[in-house]
Structure formats: structure tokens, C-alpha cells
Amino acid sequence: MVMRSDQHTLILGLVLGFLVLLGGCHGKSLKKNFYRKSCPQAEEIVRNVTRRHVAANFTLPAKLLRMHFHDCFVRGCDGSVLLNSTKNTTAEKEAIPNLTLGGFDVIDDIKAELEKKCPGVVSCADIVALAARDSVSIQFNRSIWEVQTGRRDGTVSLASEALANIPSPFLNFTALQRNFANKGLNVRDLVVLSGAHTIGVGHCNAFSVRLYNFTGKGDQDPSLNSTYAASLKTQCRNLTDKTTFVPMDPITPLRFDNRYYAVLEQRRGLFETDAELLTNSTSARITREMLSSHKFFTEFRKSIKKMGAIGVLTGKSGEIRKVCSKIN
Ligand code: HEM
Ligand SMILES: *[C@@H]1O[C@H](CO)[C@@H](O)[C@H](O)[C@H]1NC(C)=O
Ligand SMILES: *[C@@H]1O[C@H](CO)[C@@H](O)[C@H](O)[C@H]1NC(C)=O
Ligand SMILES: *[C@@H]1O[C@H](CO)[C@@H](O)[C@H](O)[C@H]1NC(C)=O
Ligand SMILES: *[C@@H]1O[C@H](CO)[C@@H](O)[C@H](O)[C@H]1NC(C)=O
Ligand SMILES: *[C@@H]1O[C@H](CO)[C@@H](O)[C@H](O)[C@H]1NC(C)=O
Ligand SMILES: *[C@@H]1O[C@H](CO)[C@@H](O)[C@H](O)[C@H]1NC(C)=O
Ligand SMILES: *[C@@H]1O[C@H](CO)[C@@H](O)[C@H](O)[C@H]1NC(C)=O
Ligand SMILES: *[C@@H]1O[C@H](CO)[C@@H](O)[C@H](O)[C@H]1NC(C)=O
Ligand SMILES: *[C@@H]1O[C@H](CO)[C@@H](O)[C@H](O)[C@H]1NC(C)=O
Ligand SMILES: *[C@@H]1O[C@H](CO)[C@@H](O)[C@H](O)[C@H]1NC(C)=O
Ligand SMILES: *[C@@H]1O[C@H](CO)[C@@H](O)[C@H](O)[C@H]1NC(C)=O
């Protein structure tokens, strides 16, 4: 009986401890319009500067959306993707999957503008999340997903961690699913967020093995649409071409829409990881669901909100960088 009561006390203690922990996390979580009081114009400034850059360079929405993804998958969304290498360390930027990351100048410009208005207030991590949303949203003339704010900036950026955490385009479904699960994202999030490949480009070296040497016998990936493969081969002439790039959504490459899924169904997904989404019955079913545009936009809002909250630093953790490419 004594044992029983002790056990009850223990369980009660654990439950209470858990609730306190939950409460603590809640108090420190992201919120809508975090800068309402500290920098009321923050979000408008981000939007304005982003618009100005995108108006001059249509490739930027894809760059900024991918930057947000790469930031969140390495040490959480803490702006670590923006840091330059130091004497001691090789930064995430220098890692192989950084390949062709871009838009850093946009972030620097936004930051400079914000520092003029409200010095030391708005984090670089929040700027990345907002700029991704704002750049993609321009074609809709309204924000197409909500971005909560209150992230703080990390102080560490390591190329080795980018290599370990950013999924390679050669992963199979199991490995891809595990990579997302490690970030608290499920198969639905995986399929829905892959829809980001409705804009932007891929360089030949990320997929040309599917065209020229899939199993090491000079063969082609049988899961790739052969008509499409023939057309890709006219652009990517050999296995070593690292400079040519092609749109991932050949139908509407600049438009953020759900066409990615129609492309997948036609076996025209560019990377092995895109094609792999059709190999598992659950993810294949979710892919078909996303053929409904309304469903895609609804689901994308949910999944990118989850992605934007991965491992965030809040409260007193981290810092607010003065310059996004270096720690204070
Ligand atoms: C599912 C795992 C993913 C893999 C393996 C993957 C891989 C890649 C690769 C290899 C490229 C081409 C880079 C280049 O050659 O220039 C790319 C581009 C891109 N990715 Fe992903 N990605 C994944 C998920 C995501 C997610 C979750 C997002 C955002 C929510 C995203 C957004 C983008 C965008 C927008 C581009 C185009 C970038 C540009 O035009 O420069 N990707 N991705
Ligand atoms: C943002 O741009 C709009 C439209 O050009 C302008 O009216 C507004 O004053 C700008 N806001 C800030 C904070 O710069
Ligand atoms: C970080 O690197 C970029 C590109 O090399 C450079 O333009 C920028 O000035 C660097 N930032 C700092 C703080 O040195
Ligand atoms: C270099 O590493 C040392 C020891 O790990 C650390 O104290 C120092 O701050 C680092 N310097 C830079 C510029 O990162
Ligand atoms: C990406 O890393 C390579 C080295 O692996 C480096 O030459 C290149 O400048 C980096 N790209 C960016 C945008 O930092
Ligand atoms: C557009 O932005 C990308 C990414 O920063 C950059 O590589 C490219 O040179 C820019 N193009 C123009 C015309 O400025
Ligand atoms: C975009 O929205 C603003 C305000 O909601 C409106 O004034 C403007 O005319 C719209 N522009 C377009 C191209 O629809
Ligand atoms: C998927 O990739 C992992 C890691 O490379 C490997 O261990 C596994 O056997 C692969 N699974 C299938 C079904 O090919
Ligand atoms: C194709 O892959 C095989 C096995 O990895 C390799 O021996 C061969 O050299 C590759 N062919 C080309 C053209 O790279
Ligand atoms: C591969 O293709 C690229 C781009 O077309 C070309 O510059 C390069 O010389 C080719 N390399 C070989 C080994 O054929
Ligand atoms: C291959 O792509 C073409 C469009 O380019 C499409 O008409 C055809 O149905 C696709 N084939 C398969 C097997 O999906
Ligand atoms: C599909 O993926 C889910 C989630 O990883 C897994 O539970 C299920 O066994 C997979 N189904 C098949 C047929 O491989």
C-alpha cells in the first residue's frame, strides 16, 4: 500500500512537472505580430523591402523559400544559415547542399532598414521566415500563410551540420521520411512541403544520374517519364554538368500553385526524392489529395507553420544579431 501511494505521488509529480514544462514552453513560444509594441512597422518594412527586390529579380521567391527551409532544418529556425564562416569554423553556407542558396543580400538589406528604425529588436531568423512568406505572396497580393514571430538568433553555423540535416535529393522514401521525422514533421508535412518545388530550379548535378547512370550501367531511372527524360537530356548533356539548371515545375515555374503534384503524377518529378513520394501508399494518397488546389493551400499553411517553429530560440536564448552574417 505504501508502495502504491508512493507511486501515485511519483505519477502526480511527473504530471505536474510535465504541465509546468508545457506552461513554460507556451510562455516562450512564437506569437503573431511579436513586434507589435517593440517595432510596430517591422513587418511592413520586411514586406516593402522584399517587394522591391522581387520586382527587380523574379528568381528570389524560390531562393528565399528554400533559405527558410535550410535555416529551419539545421539547428532550428535561428538564422544560422546566414552566418559567414569564421577563422575557426566553416559555416552552413559553405556546405555542398548550400549549392546555389541565394537572396542573402535581400536579408541584409531588410536588416539594415530595420536597424535604422528599431536597432537591435528584430531577429534575422524572423526576417528569413517573413521574407520567404512575403516574396512568395506577392503574386497573390496577400499573405498566403501566417508567420508567427519572436525567434532569436543562434550563434553557431557549421557546414557539417548542414550536410547531416539537409536531405539529399538522392534519398529513398524511408530515409526521407526519417529525415523529416527527426524535425518533428510527418509524412503529410513531407508531401505538402515538397510542394514548394512548384517554384524554382534544380541544377543538373542534382538529378542527371537519373538520366545517364541510374544503377551504374549507363541506364535511365525507370520511374522518370521517358519523354521528359529525353527533353532533360537536351539540357543536361552529361553527368558532370553542374552549371545548367532547369525549372522544377516545367508548366508554371514561377507560379506558386499545386501543379507540382500534377507534374509528379506524370512522373516528371525532377529529383529522386520527388519521385519517391509515389512509392509509399500513404504519401501517394496525400499527393493525390494535393491535386485539389484549395486543399494544398490549406495544408501548406499548416505545415510551413510547423516548419517555422522547429527548434526556435525564444525568450532569453540566443541573441538579436546586428548584422545577419555575423554574431554580435
Ligand atoms: C523533401 C526534401 C527536399 C529535398 C531533397 C530538396 C532538394 C532540393 C534540391 C536538390 C534543390 C535544387 C537546388 C539546385 O540545384 O539549385 C531544391 C530546390 C528548391 N527547394 Fe527543395 N528540397 C526538399 C524540400 C524542400 C522544402 C521543404 C522546401 C520549402 C518549404 C523546398 C524549397 C525549395 C525551393 C523553393 C527550391 C528552388 C530554389 C531555387 O530556385 O534556387 N525544398 N530542393
Ligand atoms: C511601404 O510601402 C507602402 C507602399 O509603397 C508605403 O505607403 C509605406 O509607407 C511603406 N512603409 C514603410 C514602413 O516603409
Ligand atoms: C559575409 O560574406 C559575404 C559574402 O562573402 C560578404 O559580402 C559579407 O560582407 C560578409 N559579412 C561580414 C560581416 O563580413
Ligand atoms: C574560436 O574558437 C574558440 C575556442 O573554441 C572560441 O573561444 C572563439 O570564440 C572562436 N572564435 C570565433 C571567431 O569563432
Ligand atoms: C557554397 O559552398 C561552396 C563551397 O562548398 C562555396 O564555394 C560557395 O561560395 C558557397 N555558396 C554560398 C552562397 O555561400
Ligand atoms: C537574382 O538573385 C539571385 C539570387 O540572389 C542572383 O544569383 C542573381 O544574380 C540575381 N539576378 C539579377 C539579375 O540580379
Ligand atoms: C493589391 O492590394 C491592395 C490593397 O489590398 C490594392 O490597393 C491593390 O490595388 C491590389 N493590387 C492588385 C494588382 O490587385
Ligand atoms: C533506403 O536507404 C537507406 C539508407 O541509405 C538504406 O539503408 C535502405 O536499405 C534503403 N531502403 C530501400 C527500400 O531501398
Ligand atoms: C556509371 O556508374 C558506374 C558505377 O558506379 C561507374 O563505374 C561508371 O564510371 C559510371 N559512368 C559514368 C559515365 O560516369
Ligand atoms: C559536359 O557538359 C558541359 C555543359 O554542356 C560542358 O561544358 C562540358 O564540357 C561537358 N563535359 C564533358 C566531359 O563532356
Ligand atoms: C509523360 O509526360 C507527358 C507530358 O509530357 C504525359 O502526357 C504522359 O502522360 C506522361 N507519362 C506518364 C507515364 O505519366
Ligand atoms: C509508408 O510510410 C509509412 C510512414 O513511414 C509507413 O508506416 C508505411 O509502412 C509505409 N507503407 C509502405 C507500403 O511502405
Side-chain angles (χ1 to χ4, degrees):
M1 288 306 123
V2 172
M3 278 297 284
R4 254 186 111 84
S5 131
D6 273 0
Q7 279 176 346
H8 276 143
T9 313
L10 182 67
I11 289 169
L12 191 69
L14 281 174
V15 168
L16 280 176
F18 186 63
L19 286 177
V20 166
L21 213 80
L22 264 180
C25 289
H26 256 293
K28 286 184 187 173
S29 60
L30 303 176
K31 53 169 116 159
K32 212 170 144 178
N33 211 350
F34 178 83
Y35 301 106
R36 192 188 333 251
K37 293 216 173 78
S38 55
C39 187
Q41 288 186 309
E43 296 201 13
E44 193 175 319
I45 292 170
V46 176
R47 193 163 57 240
N48 279 7
V49 179
T50 304
R51 277 175 183 274
R52 196 163 71 225
H53 279 270
V54 174
N57 188 337
F58 63 85
T59 69
L60 288 170
K63 305 283 174 210
L64 292 167
L65 182 54
R66 182 162 182 243
M67 182 193 285
H68 183 33
F69 165 52
H70 280 221
D71 189 26
C72 293
F73 265 54
V74 189
R75 288 189 171 257
C77 319
D78 68 342
S80 56
V81 70
L82 305 170
L83 290 171
N84 284 0
S85 295
T86 63
K87 283 194 201 81
N88 293 352
T89 59
T90 307
E92 287 169 33
K93 272 182 189 176
E94 315 272 353
I96 291 165
N98 84 346
L99 207 83
T100 63
L101 278 179
F104 294 105
D105 54 326
V106 183
I107 304 296
D108 290 343
D109 211 13
I110 295 170
K111 181 62 173 174
E113 202 69 28
L114 285 168
E115 288 298 296
K116 273 192 242 158
K117 282 270 169 30
C118 342
V121 173
V122 183
S123 69
C124 297
D126 277 342
I127 295 173
V128 171
L130 290 166
R133 188 268 310 272
D134 292 343
S135 58
V136 171
S137 293
I138 290 173
Q139 59 183 260
F140 299 92
N141 203 22
R142 69 185 162 83
S143 295
I144 61 167
W145 67 83
E146 180 187 297
V147 173
Q148 295 190 316
T149 42
R151 295 170 190 79
R152 291 170 62 86
D153 298 323
T155 53
V156 176
S157 178
L158 301 172
S160 57
E161 292 185 344
L163 275 176
N165 290 279
I166 301 294
S168 129
F170 309 108
L171 297 183
N172 63 31
F173 181 80
T174 313
L176 193 54
Q177 182 259 324
R178 194 171 302 135
N179 175 278
F180 271 58
N182 285 341
K183 303 298 163 190
L185 300 175
N186 58 32
V187 171
R188 176 166 286 269
D189 298 316
L190 166 62
V191 175
V192 168
L193 291 171
S194 293
H197 289 174
T198 179
I199 53 172
V201 297
H203 285 71
C204 296
N205 53 310
F207 61 87
S208 51
V209 70
R210 302 184 74 195
L211 306 174
Y212 295 112
N213 207 7
F214 190 59
T215 67
K217 295 181 185 133
D219 53 342
Q220 197 168 297
D221 182 346
S223 76
L224 182 63
N225 186 315
S226 53
T227 316
Y228 188 49
S231 132
L232 288 172
K233 279 175 159 172
T234 67
Q235 296 167 277
C236 303
R237 309 304 288 261
N238 59 54
L239 274 167
T240 50
D241 181 357
K242 291 186 171 62
T243 50
T244 308
F245 53 83
V246 304
M248 293 188 287
D249 169 358
I251 310 170
T252 52
L254 292 177
R255 184 143 193 91
F256 191 85
D257 55 19
N258 68 335
R259 272 294 172 76
Y260 169 77
Y261 301 98
V263 165
L264 270 193
E265 297 271 308
Q266 291 180 331
R267 312 271 160 186
R268 296 196 289 167
L270 195 58
F271 306 130
E272 286 171 51
T273 41
D274 297 317
E276 282 292 318
L277 298 179
L278 297 178
T279 63
N280 172 282
S281 53
T282 307
S283 66
R285 179 176 51 72
I286 301 168
T287 296
R288 284 191 299 274
E289 266 181 56
M290 295 309 123
L291 292 170
S292 149
S293 174
H294 177 259
K295 193 89 194 233
F296 169 62
F297 281 97
T298 304
E299 295 292 308
F300 195 82
R301 270 197 284 281
K302 285 189 210 159
S303 290
I304 198 148
K305 186 172 180 180
K306 260 170 99 174
M307 187 185 94
I310 296 172
V312 291
L313 301 171
T314 55
K316 292 190 165 65
S317 316
E319 61 180 27
I320 302 296
R321 268 176 231 151
K322 294 188 176 72
V323 172
C324 289
S325 55
K326 75 183 214 335
I327 64 173
N328 291 342

